[in-house]
Structures are given as structure tokens and as C-alpha cells.
Amino acid sequence: MRRAAEVWPLRPTVRYARTLAEALRTETIGGIVMLLATMAALVWANVSIDSYEALRTAGFGPESLHLNLELYKWAQNGLLTIFFFVAGLEVKEEFVHGELANLRKAALPIIAAIAGMVVPALVYLAVSWGAEDASRGWAIPTATDIAFALAVLAVTASAMPAALRAFLLTCAVVDDLGAITIIALFYTDHLDVVMLLVGAALIALYGLLQRRGVRSLWAYLPLAVLAWYFVEVSGVHATVAGVALGLLTRVTTNAGEDSSPAERADHYVRPISAGFAVPVFAFLSAGVRLDGDSLSVIFSDRVVLGVMAGLVIGKFLGVFGGAWLAVRLGLARLSEELHWRDMAAVSALGGIGFTVSLLIGDLAFGADQERATAVTTGVLAASLAASMLAAVLLHVRVRKRRNGLDDV
């Protein structure tokens, strides 16, 4: 006998609802800070591109340890590791206490998120087909920037049901897991196996200490730094270490504990990630010229057009189509408090790529500075377009709900 599909969203536990509320609040504020950092970078770059480039490419760090990196590389490989550590905590929390604790019950956001990665990649490949080195950039439009997306949702549609924000956050968690997998598998150019094994051993030791209930910060901080270092010099992108450490952080509460290590880490690290690490990365990555020549390139390079189409069109079709398909196939049912027009509006938010899209763009085309700059401009333009489209759709939905016209 076939089991009935679960209505989504599920009833959250008190713990998960509290965690979700804190995450939404912090990421929303972080999105606003990141927007200000992006605007500052654009202003500086268009006033004096030479001084901006001099800042972002200034190198420092011990050469003997292979850590003499440019400033923007420190932001990519160092600060974004903090971001992905928080992403790892989110994934672990979702799998143990959240919507992903039962994969069958979480079919709606899981299928929507997976389709939201596959369809943009296909759209990108279709648009960029035949362009030189186009295949390296297929993953750029697969990512959604949760901080920006939540900020747009909070500013334009705070009156929408909380289930819609939970859907967006759950999709983003699956999206982050997919993104870090893609980076590890497809954007590792060289590999030092010995260094990677040492890094893996340190990460495993971190996990063992978590299981043993060790609580001292000074037991974990050196391990985390050393694990980051060995993964960094192994050739695998250092952010993989961040998400691995997050996934191994304990999310259950032992006797005598008021909160789990994951809750405590999230409480202290998430504000650093959202309020400092990601905005600094945005500031050092988003500074591009916006003159006529620069803007004309994004409409003449099929790689950039593919990125933009993948984000604005592919993400919408993927997320909305995946959710619709999950319901159509009987794998999930939509809650009565949500409507398909609500889902369409929030699906448009998936096109806000930014943080991870900029990271993958640099990993894909960093050796070709002209194209890398054009791709950055394309990601910014597409994220802006997706933000405006989503804001309009959400505004319409809020107004119809306010006027009692939900089915119109």
C-alpha cells in the first residue's frame, strides 16, 4: 500500500524553531552588511580601480609555509572557511533536528534544491556552448546566496508565512552541501595526498573529541587551524575543511549541558561569518568597473550570458519546477498556508548567486583575469535582476494576501 505524501513544512521542534529564527535573523542582517560592502567595493573600483586592485592583490603571509597569499585569496581560502563551517553546522543541524531528519518527509525542499542546481548548469551549458573554456564555468550558477536572499525576503515580504523562509533556508542548506562537493570534486587542480591525509586525520581527531564530549575551545581551535592549513596546502580548496569540521560538530546535548557544541559554535561563529567574513570577501571580490566597455563584454561573452541565464532563468525553473514535480509525483504535499504563487516568488530568489558563485567563478576562470572580471560583473547583474524580480513577485503576493485574494 502506497504511503501518503507528507505535507510540507513539517511541524518544527522548539529547538529547531529557535535555531531557525536565530539563523534567519543573523543572515538577514549579514545580507544587508554584505550589500553595503558590495556597494563600497563598486564605488571604490569605479573611482580608482588601480588602488582597489592594489589592495586586493597585496600579498602577505609566510612563504616558507606556502601561505604568502594575496589579500583576496586570504578572503577566499580563509574567511570563507568560516562561512562554510557555519554551512556545515546548518547541514548537520538539518539532518539531525531539522527538515532533513527524515529525507522522505523533506522531499519538497530536497528535490527543489537538487533541480535548482541541475537546471541552471544545463541552461549555462546550452547558452555558452562552443565558447572557449566554457565547460569550466558550469557550476557558477548552481549556488544561491542565502544571506542576500533572506535579506530581500525580509525587506520585501516579512508578512509572508514563516514556512516560506524555512523552505528557502532548507533549500540553501542542500545547495551549500552541493556547492562544497562540486568545489572539492571539480575544482582541485593538483593534489598532495600526504598533506590531505594529515588534514583528514586532524579533522577525524576533531570529530573524536566531539564524540568524547571534550568542551575546551583550546582543544579544538589549534586542530581546526592545522586542519585548515593542511587541506589548503594539499590543493583541495580550504573551505572543504570548514564544512567537514562543521559536519563533525556534535548537535546533541549531553548530561549537564544547556546546549550542544553546535549550538554554541553557531551562536558565536555565525555573527563573525555573516557580519565580517562574508562582507570582507564581498568587498574584495565585487569591485569591478561599470563603464560602457565593461558592461558590453557581459552581453558579448557567451560564458557570461550563460552565467546570467543560469542564475535568473535556470534557478527559477529548477527550484519551482523541482517543487512542482515533487508534488506532482506524490512525493510531497504543499501546506495549505502556502500557494504556488508564493513558491514562484521565493524560487526567483534562488537566482541571487553572489558569494559562492563569485568563488566558483574565480576558481574556474581566475587564470584569465579579463573573463573572471566579466563573470563577476555577470554574477552581480544577474543577482540584481533576480532580486528585483523576486521583490516584485513577493510584493504582489503580500498585497494579495493582505487583501484576502490568496487564490487570485
Side-chain angles (χ1 to χ4, degrees):
M1 181 177 178
R2 185 176 178 181
R3 300 178 67 179
E6 297 285 344
V7 176
W8 197 94
L10 311 176
R11 184 183 297 277
T13 63
V14 173
R15 171 208 167 97
Y16 179 66
R18 183 176 66 248
T19 302
L20 177 64
E22 182 173 351
L24 290 169
R25 181 170 57 252
T26 306
E27 294 290 2
T28 300
I29 296 172
I32 296 172
V33 175
M34 184 164 55
L35 177 60
L36 295 175
T38 302
M39 292 173 62
L42 289 171
V43 170
W44 188 343
N46 284 274
V47 170
S48 176
I49 188 64
D50 291 337
S51 63
Y52 176 79
E53 285 296 326
L55 172 67
R56 72 187 297 269
T57 58
F60 69 95
E63 183 65 46
S64 59
L65 296 177
H66 306 287
L67 289 178
N68 186 13
L69 305 176
E70 295 176 328
L71 194 59
Y72 83 97
K73 282 294 184 182
W74 275 110
Q76 280 187 0
N77 299 8
L79 294 181
L80 279 193
T81 303
I82 300 173
F83 166 79
F84 276 106
F85 173 73
V86 174
L89 293 177
E90 289 176 342
V91 172
K92 184 70 171 289
E93 191 75 40
E94 287 281 350
F95 273 112
V96 177
H97 297 292
E99 302 293 351
L100 303 181
N102 185 314
L103 297 183
R104 187 181 66 82
K105 294 180 179 180
L108 187 71
I110 290 175
I111 294 174
I114 293 173
M117 289 184 282
V118 173
V119 175
L122 294 176
V123 169
Y124 167 86
L125 290 172
V127 174
S128 65
W129 187 265
E132 184 179 359
D133 292 329
S135 60
R136 288 193 59 81
W138 65 270
I140 298 172
T142 62
T144 295
D145 191 291
I146 186 58
F148 260 153
L150 287 174
V152 173
L153 185 63
V155 170
T156 61
S158 59
M160 294 294 280
L164 208 60
R165 295 189 287 277
F167 172 82
L168 180 61
L169 186 61
T170 305
C171 280
V173 168
V174 179
D175 193 287
D176 284 341
L177 186 59
I180 201 65
T181 303
I182 288 170
I183 290 171
L185 294 179
F186 298 100
Y187 292 97
T188 299
D189 293 327
H190 67 277
L191 182 63
D192 187 322
V193 176
V194 174
M195 291 296 188
L196 182 60
L197 288 175
V198 174
L202 291 167
I203 291 170
L205 179 57
Y206 173 96
L208 178 62
L209 294 179
Q210 284 287 317
R211 294 191 63 176
R212 293 289 180 87
V214 176
R215 298 187 60 177
S216 172
L217 172 65
W218 299 110
Y220 293 113
L221 193 57
L223 275 178
V225 173
L226 287 172
W228 171 86
Y229 169 74
F230 282 103
V231 172
E232 164 69 16
V233 298
S234 75
V236 176
H237 202 271
T239 51
V240 174
V243 78
L245 292 169
L247 287 170
L248 288 175
T249 303
R250 180 164 52 86
V251 296
T252 55
T253 305
N254 289 340
E257 292 183 329
D258 296 327
S259 58
S260 70
E263 287 180 290
R264 293 193 295 272
D266 187 90
H267 177 75
Y268 290 109
V269 179
R270 184 182 292 274
I272 297 173
S273 170
F276 176 73
V278 176
V280 169
F281 168 77
F283 177 76
L284 294 172
S285 302
V288 293
R289 294 293 298 272
L290 297 178
D291 54 20
D293 292 339
S294 300
L295 295 176
S296 65
V297 171
I298 71 175
F299 295 107
S300 59
D301 188 334
R302 277 185 293 162
V303 166
V304 183
L305 288 174
V307 170
M308 295 172 66
L311 284 170
V312 179
I313 300 172
K315 268 293 187 181
F316 173 81
L317 293 177
V319 175
F320 183 77
W324 180 85
L325 188 64
V327 174
R328 184 71 174 177
L329 294 177
L331 300 174
R333 286 190 295 145
L334 201 62
S335 168
E336 292 183 358
E337 67 177 331
L338 295 178
H339 299 272
W340 282 114
R341 292 179 180 85
D342 300 331
M343 299 298 289
V346 81
S347 295
L349 287 172
I352 304 176
F354 207 76
T355 305
V356 181
S357 291
L358 291 179
L359 172 61
I360 296 177
D362 187 77
L363 294 176
F365 299 112
D368 183 348
Q369 190 56 49
E370 183 177 348
R371 172 163 280 176
T373 300
V375 166
T376 296
T377 306
V379 169
L380 293 175
S383 297
L384 176 62
S387 299
M388 295 176 64
L389 174 62
V392 170
L393 293 175
L394 288 166
H395 175 72
V396 171
R397 289 304 301 153
V398 168
R399 187 178 61 186
K400 288 186 177 296
R401 280 178 170 274
R402 187 180 296 124
N403 294 332
L405 301 173
D406 284 355
D407 296 322
V408 176

